[in-house]
Amino acid sequence: MTLIHARALREFLADGAGKPDLGGMGGAPSLGGRITAVLGPTNTGKTHLAMERMMGHTSGMIGFPLRLLARENYERVVRAKGAKAVALITGEEKIVPENPRYFVCTVESMPVDRPVSFLAVDEIQLCADWERGHVFTDRLLHARGLDETMFLGAETVRPLLRRLAPRAEVLTRPRLSTLVYAGPRKLARLPRRSAVVAFSIANVYELAEAVRHQRGGAAVVMGALSPRVRNAQVAMFQAGEVDFLVATDAIGMGLNMDVDHVAFAQLQKFDGRAPRRLVPAELAQIAGRAGRHMANGTFGTTGEAGELDEEEVTRIEEHRFESLQRLWWRNADLDMRSLTALLRSLEARPPSSLLMRKRDADDHLALQVLARDPEIVELASDQGRIRLLWEVCQIPDFRKVLADAHTRLLGQIYRHLTGPTERLPADWVARHVEALDRTEGDIDTLTQRIAHCRTWAYVAHRPDWVDHAARWREKARAIEDRLSDALHERLTQRFVDRRAAILTQRLAGGEDLTAAVRSDGEVLVEGHAVGRLEGLRFVPDVGSEPEARPVLGAARRVVPREIARRVDRLEEAGHMAFRLDWASIFWEDATIARLGPGRTAIEPRIEVLASDYLDASQRDRIARRLAAWVARHVTQVAPSLAQLRDAPLGGAARGLAYRLVERLGTVPRREAEAQVAALRREDRKALARLGVRFGVHHVFMPALAKPATVRLLGLLWSIAAGRAPVEAPRGAAPAVDPSLPPEFWAASGRAVLGGHALACERIERLAQAARMLAAQGPFLATQQLVDLAGCRPGELAGVLADLGYRAEVGPEGTLFYPRARNAARRLSKRQPSTDQGSPFAPLARLLRRP
């Protein structure tokens, strides 16, 4: 598929420009215009050069790796050329005037079939990126301007670029400032105007909270943020409201800020396939954000990340990196004659050994899933519909949700677009879009809503898919703005302590306040109580008015030290220092943690309560101590279950023991029959010694029937099931709460018969008595049976019914018969038919007494 409009190409050749050079790379023409590659480290002015060159042409197009960069440079061109001359095209945002001359885009969204005089692609070394590299490689091989083409990027791509684009003139630009390694530093000792870099959202949040506690606050920058949120966060940093920035590697792609020092909190990242250490070139791309223009910068690590080795430091400071060896590629000449042909063309081999075939792009994976749906296959009946299916598969998954959820949405969209109206129903779109117009929720919730809003903004930019597309675009944009404002507010509330920031500045100016913590947990500043410590949390007593800010700030300086001492004391505390109240663990009369679902029911997860003054290592220490206490508590309250778990059993016995522990001591016999049958005689003896009883109806552990044990096991089941704790049952045969599943009663050592929860031991005794009576023929309900069941006489029929007996009313009263007549016959063959000949006759006669 050529990337230059065919008519423009014919006109260009007709003007005598010469014959195209196909270059052997996918058949794309390379016109007689100049091709330039401007390579070098960060802060060399490459982007500025490309923007100036583009605006010097009558028309132009430039692709950036990030939506944020595209928006930033779009506004720059608008200031120079006017809004009517410039288009912004990203996946979810399109501002296209009637006759634009300049196009500022993300690389994926470049309308490369539109002829322009100048064309540029930024960060061309991303051709080697596993996730998006095939798109950048496609632009490198095929995208050209009529008069000039420019590729911007790192020196690492030079050898491959020379071979894949041999006509390109390669220029090198030196860095405008010096970058120097400053070594590792703790967060508390980082210089002002520092950016701290991590590679996961969770770590960004953790670092931002740490900076808030220690330095007053931080702005947050991540690729998932909308331009509105990112600009608001950066504005705080640029204005000096906060002196620190915590970011992902998104800042490495040309986001220009007044950063003096870059600190890596991590040196490893998950690259979409596996965790790996960053190579020097990647570290340099991010570290290069320090020291802009002619101002020098420094880079280093935080204490937790460790040091960079000498070779890495030298390569970063001198900008010497290993060249890229291969680039990602995917066939762009797609065959739309059939779904099979389309899939086959996507699997085409690259034309050069320098290229690696991209097999698992999101759109390709989505197409593979939908192509297995018979309904979709039937709808994709011609080339137009196959092309439409491919376009639907290219709707980005901005939410990064599970693949099947996104693919289901794509399937719904395609079914609507191939329906009678060939449009997305307005009410269907409205339900999806308007459901996002809610600003409540935490940071993650708002971020997900913004991402989902971006997906619908992408869809709304297809007027051939959506009626009144402009109205839906405006609706999606307005919702995104409201969500963005709410997200900026949440980020600021969580990660910026304005009071502490003010105090930090005062203390930096030489002012100081005296603070202390009394033995009873009262926090004093200059001798006045301003709050108290409850367990591991600080509860202030003063308000948030301006005059209270220095006071609270001074208190926060001493609270972490006291918290650290308390964590030390908690680690050394004895077993009796803790207590469990439902799912909460108490220490010194304060809740410090809750129990959550863990690896097994008897090994719940420790969830340390949130505290502004606990770092990750302290949380781990607390969790380890409490896990040890919970393990000991379970062993003391349910010793037989713990002994069964730890017993050195083998084979079938080990499997049955594991199942019993997993089910908290009770398993229905029918579910365990295969395992029971596989037991050897010595296995049964070993399990019996451990307290396991093999009943007719259940395999269970009678020792677990103690009230304290039943209460604990019921709690553990509730936690493992993710339910609120349920009060343990009381009485011999309590009525069953229908909202509770059978697993709860099993965890309590009971089973449900006739709407009543009977202990397994009671069920086995009752069932044995009923069997002995049934062996002699139909039998009446006796007081002994009622006592064994633990229920009222009128309820016995329901209990016996669940044990397999039917009731018939006769002249003598209600008689009970076994439902399985053949089973009764088998019993009768094994036992004498008269009371006198049966070995159980005395007991049977006793049970028959009214």
Side-chain angles (χ1 to χ4, degrees):
M1 180 178 63
T2 184
L3 298 181
I4 298 182
H5 196 279
R7 184 177 64 185
L9 175 58
R10 289 194 297 270
E11 293 174 354
F12 183 76
L13 296 175
D15 289 340
K19 295 181 179 180
D21 175 16
L22 299 181
M25 283 303 174
S30 176
L31 298 183
R34 179 187 183 193
I35 303 176
T36 306
V38 183
L39 307 180
T42 56
N43 193 28
T44 59
K46 299 186 296 293
T47 305
H48 176 78
L49 171 65
M51 295 295 290
E52 292 297 316
R53 292 291 300 167
M54 182 180 75
M55 289 188 286
H57 285 266
T58 57
S59 62
M61 181 185 304
I62 185 167
F64 291 98
L66 296 177
R67 176 192 182 194
L68 300 176
L69 281 176
R71 165 60 85 158
E72 181 181 282
N73 285 283
Y74 162 76
E75 293 170 353
R76 175 181 173 185
V77 183
V78 166
R79 289 193 295 269
K81 297 293 185 177
K84 293 183 178 180
V86 192
L88 171 68
I89 304 179
T90 67
E92 63 276 23
E93 188 175 19
K94 290 181 175 63
I95 303 175
V96 184
E98 187 172 353
N99 292 301
R101 293 189 294 124
Y102 303 98
F103 294 83
V104 183
C105 320
T106 51
V107 173
E108 286 85 348
S109 300
M110 295 172 70
V112 287
D113 58 344
R114 182 159 187 153
V116 289
S117 177
F118 174 91
L119 185 144
V121 180
D122 192 19
E123 307 291 358
I124 195 63
Q125 78 278 0
L126 288 179
C127 289
D129 179 71
W130 171 78
E131 186 174 5
R132 304 167 64 201
H134 63 287
V135 179
F136 283 77
T137 301
D138 185 83
R139 303 298 184 253
L140 172 64
L141 297 179
H142 304 306
R144 299 291 184 267
L146 296 174
D147 298 312
E148 182 176 2
T149 301
M150 183 175 286
F151 298 111
L152 316 173
E155 279 280 349
T156 54
V157 78
R158 177 191 287 263
L160 291 178
L161 191 145
R162 281 194 177 281
R163 296 184 63 182
L164 296 174
R167 293 184 53 246
E169 175 187 1
V170 180
L171 305 177
T172 301
R173 292 176 69 92
R175 183 177 167 88
L176 300 176
S177 61
T178 303
L179 193 59
V180 178
Y181 182 55
R185 299 184 183 182
K186 294 181 179 180
L187 284 177
R189 296 183 178 274
L190 289 178
R192 297 174 66 246
R193 316 308 295 166
S194 287
V196 185
V197 180
F199 300 104
S200 72
I201 293 176
N203 285 325
V204 166
Y205 292 168
E206 183 178 350
L207 286 165
E209 287 185 333
V211 173
R212 174 184 183 270
H213 301 153
Q214 299 178 25
R215 309 301 294 273
V220 173
V221 172
M222 301 178 294
L225 300 182
S226 66
R228 191 180 182 96
V229 179
R230 174 258 179 187
N231 291 339
Q233 289 288 303
V234 169
M236 286 198 309
F237 179 78
Q238 293 292 82
E241 295 180 37
V242 292
D243 283 327
F244 300 91
L245 179 76
V246 180
T248 62
D249 50 351
I251 67 166
M253 294 295 172
L255 297 180
N256 297 321
M257 291 164 284
D258 297 330
V259 174
D260 297 334
H261 179 78
V262 170
F264 291 94
Q266 294 175 290
L267 296 175
Q268 284 193 331
K269 67 176 289 186
F270 182 79
D271 64 1
R273 293 172 292 183
R276 63 170 178 82
R277 186 180 176 90
L278 273 72
V279 300
E282 294 170 317
L283 293 169
Q285 180 76 25
I286 300 168
R289 294 302 114 193
R292 307 305 297 163
H293 306 297
M294 302 304 294
N296 295 333
T298 58
F299 68 98
T301 60
T302 61
E304 295 77 11
E307 289 198 52
L308 296 172
D309 63 45
E310 186 175 345
E311 176 66 18
E312 289 175 317
V313 171
T314 301
R315 286 180 175 272
I316 295 171
E317 290 182 338
E318 298 179 1
H319 315 299
R320 293 188 294 103
F321 311 112
E322 293 182 1
S323 299
L324 299 175
Q325 300 301 309
R326 299 173 75 188
L327 307 180
W328 290 102
W329 174 90
R330 186 173 74 180
N331 182 28
D333 187 13
L334 302 180
D335 187 345
M336 299 291 177
R337 290 176 296 175
S338 69
L339 268 180
T340 302
L342 173 57
L343 288 166
R344 188 184 303 116
S345 62
L346 284 167
E347 294 289 341
R349 294 181 179 276
S352 167
S353 61
L354 304 177
L355 305 174
M356 299 178 291
R357 176 156 56 100
K358 177 64 175 174
R359 301 170 182 266
D360 50 3
D362 289 346
D363 50 5
H364 190 178
L365 295 177
L367 179 64
Q368 289 176 328
V369 173
L370 293 177
R372 293 194 291 268
D373 185 330
E375 182 184 357
I376 297 294
V377 173
E378 184 177 353
L379 291 172
S381 56
D382 56 46
Q383 291 194 32
R385 287 196 166 188
I386 292 171
R387 189 177 302 278
L388 173 62
L389 177 59
W390 179 236
E391 291 173 355
V392 169
C393 289
Q394 291 177 301
I395 297 174
D397 181 13
F398 292 112
R399 292 179 294 170
K400 303 299 180 186
V401 297
L402 294 175
D404 57 346
H406 183 65
T407 306
R408 282 197 301 272
L409 175 63
L410 301 184
Q412 290 175 323
I413 291 174
Y414 184 69
R415 289 181 179 90
H416 285 307
L417 293 178
T418 53
T421 65
E422 297 184 342
R423 289 288 190 276
L424 298 180
D427 59 342
W428 185 76
V429 175
R431 285 199 304 274
H432 282 276
V433 174
E434 291 170 0
L436 303 173
D437 197 6
R438 296 181 291 119
T439 57
E440 72 275 8
D442 59 14
I443 291 173
D444 290 334
T445 300
L446 292 172
T447 301
Q448 282 294 307
R449 284 195 196 126
I450 290 174
H452 201 182
C453 196
R454 292 171 66 188
T455 297
W456 286 103
Y458 181 97
V459 172
H461 279 91
R462 292 295 301 260
D464 54 333
W465 290 2
V466 183
D467 290 328
H468 310 295
R471 178 169 65 86
W472 287 115
R473 287 197 297 271
E474 290 301 317
K475 178 81 170 177
R477 180 63 182 272
I479 292 174
E480 180 179 321
D481 286 348
R482 285 192 288 274
L483 292 172
S484 296
D485 292 341
L487 178 57
H488 171 63
E489 180 183 349
R490 301 291 196 285
L491 289 169
T492 304
Q493 288 175 347
R494 180 171 174 182
F495 301 128
V496 179
D497 186 343
R498 298 192 183 277
R499 295 169 298 185
I502 293 171
L503 181 61
T504 299
Q505 295 171 0
R506 290 182 57 191
L507 296 176
E511 300 180 52
D512 200 1
L513 295 174
T514 302
V517 181
R518 292 175 47 173
S519 59
D520 62 358
E522 191 173 42
V523 180
L524 306 176
V525 174
E526 297 293 331
H528 298 280
V530 298
R532 63 193 179 281
L533 280 173
E534 294 183 355
L536 301 174
R537 292 180 295 169
F538 173 54
V539 181
D541 288 337
V542 297
S544 59
E545 59 276 2
E547 57 271 19
R549 294 174 182 175
V551 174
L552 285 177
R556 290 189 176 96
R557 292 173 59 198
V558 298
V559 166
R561 292 196 294 271
E562 174 61 21
I563 291 289
R565 286 192 288 269
R566 291 190 173 209
V567 172
D568 293 340
R569 196 165 71 247
L570 183 148
E571 276 191 307
E572 300 298 325
H575 185 69
M576 300 303 295
F578 307 99
R579 64 181 175 89
L580 182 64
D581 189 348
W582 287 115
S584 297
I585 300 177
F586 285 76
W587 175 66
E588 296 187 349
D589 294 326
T591 307
I592 57 171
R594 289 183 58 82
L595 300 181
R599 189 173 62 87
T600 65
I602 65 171
E603 297 173 312
R605 184 179 71 252
I606 305 299
E607 298 174 352
V608 179
L609 294 189
S611 171
D612 292 339
Y613 302 98
L614 288 175
D615 59 31
S617 64
Q618 290 172 326
R619 289 178 183 274
D620 289 342
R621 291 164 58 196
I622 295 168
R624 283 195 297 269
R625 177 65 186 94
L626 295 182
W629 176 80
V630 170
R632 180 175 173 182
H633 182 67
V634 170
T635 300
Q636 288 182 333
V637 179
S640 57
L641 196 62
Q643 290 167 5
L644 182 64
R645 177 195 60 194
D646 301 332
L649 301 170
R654 178 71 256 168
L656 182 57
Y658 178 84
R659 192 167 191 176
L660 278 166
V661 172
E662 185 181 48
R663 299 286 287 272
L664 297 175
T666 303
V667 179
R669 179 65 180 256
R670 64 180 181 280
E671 295 181 16
E673 195 59 53
Q675 288 176 298
V676 173
L679 294 175
R680 298 172 302 174
R681 184 174 184 180
E682 53 268 29
D683 293 334
R684 284 178 171 267
K685 289 182 177 180
L687 291 169
R689 284 194 296 271
L690 291 166
V692 177
R693 178 174 170 186
F694 298 92
V696 174
H697 295 273
H698 294 87
V699 181
F700 62 102
M701 304 182 73
L704 300 179
K706 298 176 182 178
T709 307
V710 170
R711 184 176 187 274
L712 175 62
L713 296 182
L715 171 64
L716 293 176
W717 176 87
S718 300
I719 293 169
R723 299 174 62 118
V726 180
E727 184 68 40
R730 297 179 180 179
V736 170
D737 181 347
S739 68
L740 294 175
E743 291 79 8
F744 168 76
W745 299 107
S748 302
R750 295 174 180 254
V752 177
L753 297 178
H756 296 269
L758 276 67
C760 293
E761 178 79 22
R762 183 178 292 274
I763 291 173
E764 296 297 335
R765 292 201 308 269
L766 175 64
Q768 182 183 23
R771 285 195 303 271
M772 288 190 297
L773 289 173
Q776 313 305 316
F779 60 91
L780 292 167
T782 67
Q783 186 60 46
Q784 287 86 347
L785 289 178
V786 173
D787 292 341
L788 284 172
C791 61
R792 291 189 290 269
E795 298 167 341
L796 182 63
V799 173
L800 290 177
D802 283 349
L803 281 177
Y805 297 92
R806 60 184 177 82
E808 291 186 5
V809 179
E812 299 179 5
T814 302
L815 291 173
F816 291 93
Y817 298 80
R819 278 208 182 90
R821 295 182 181 275
N822 55 348
R825 283 197 295 271
R826 286 196 298 269
L827 279 173
S828 65
K829 289 179 182 178
R830 290 198 300 268
Q831 298 181 6
S833 59
T834 64
D835 285 354
Q836 288 78 8
S838 169
F840 301 106
L843 180 59
R845 285 194 297 271
L846 177 65
L847 290 170
R848 285 179 181 277
R849 290 178 183 173

